[in-house]
Amino acid sequence: MSQTYRTKVNNIYDFDLQQESIEALDSIQESANNYHILSKNKSYKAEIIQRNFNAKQYQIKINGTLYQIAIEDYLDVLIKDLGFEIGASKQVNDIKAPMPGLILDIAVKVGQEVHEDDTLLILEAMKMENVITSPRSGVIKSVSVNQGDAVDKNQLLIEFD
């Protein structure tokens, strides 16, 4: 099966490149960041100016013209199509009890600003203390329980603005 790469140039032009066509490219590496490329009987000088390997983004100069290039492979495309983009902000607007239990402590109040992974409350379930942390940064809109309350699974505990 051929690997396909979706490529966006200058945030305007989209190209799908096949692994075979990339491997068949007639190119010679002249130095660490410089390449000589032959394509359809034309000669090109390519230089990698900047690279962000993890983000798969590159700035390349070809025959003196600068291009911004972003590359996505099959997995990147699949993740985006499923709505699970890497680095996307979390849009959790409420916290529900993950299991039935007893509220031992509430660490936040209405109007308080919290950051991702801050402690919100402690839920005792099956003789264990479970620390419920914030999934995102935000402001507490409401706290629907009190210390000492017994809660059911999926019961609303906290809402974010």
Side-chain angles (χ1 to χ4, degrees):
M1 183 170 97
S2 174
Q3 175 79 351
T4 300
Y5 298 93
R6 187 174 291 169
T7 307
K8 186 175 270 293
V9 178
N10 292 342
N11 225 13
I12 298 171
Y13 305 104
D14 291 311
F15 300 95
D16 286 338
L17 301 173
Q18 300 296 319
Q19 182 72 32
E20 292 85 14
S21 63
I22 295 168
E23 290 172 355
L25 190 63
D26 188 4
S27 67
I28 298 172
Q29 186 172 1
E30 295 178 331
S31 66
N33 292 323
N34 294 298
Y35 296 82
H36 182 252
I37 302 168
L38 289 174
S39 177
K40 299 179 183 176
N41 296 321
K42 290 186 180 181
S43 177
Y44 300 92
K45 290 278 188 186
E47 179 183 2
I48 300 172
I49 305 297
Q50 290 181 349
R51 68 181 100 208
N52 182 336
F53 185 76
N54 291 330
K56 299 177 188 169
Q57 296 179 348
Y58 302 86
Q59 185 178 56
I60 299 174
K61 187 185 288 186
I62 299 177
N63 289 349
T65 303
L66 209 54
Y67 298 96
Q68 302 293 329
I69 300 176
I71 301 171
E72 296 178 334
D73 60 16
Y74 170 76
L75 185 57
D76 297 322
V77 172
L78 182 61
I79 287 170
K80 189 179 283 184
D81 289 346
L82 290 172
F84 298 114
E85 289 188 64
I86 297 171
S89 61
K90 298 176 185 173
Q91 294 302 317
V92 176
N93 292 322
D94 54 36
I95 304 295
K96 294 183 179 177
M99 62 196 86
L102 181 69
I103 303 296
L104 292 182
D105 188 32
I106 300 172
V108 295
K109 58 185 177 212
V110 173
Q112 181 177 338
E113 185 174 332
V114 295
H115 299 286
E116 186 172 355
D117 296 326
D118 283 355
T119 298
L120 299 176
L121 55 86
I122 298 175
L123 174 71
E124 181 185 50
M126 301 186 316
K127 306 283 186 215
M128 293 180 55
E129 292 184 5
N130 300 283
V131 177
I132 308 297
T133 60
S134 180
R136 68 175 179 96
S137 294
V139 176
I140 303 298
K141 178 179 179 181
S142 70
V143 178
S144 302
V145 292
N146 295 307
Q147 186 173 344
D149 285 357
V151 296
D152 294 322
K153 182 177 180 171
N154 292 325
Q155 181 176 332
L156 179 65
L157 304 175
I158 294 175
E159 286 183 293
F160 288 93
D161 258 343

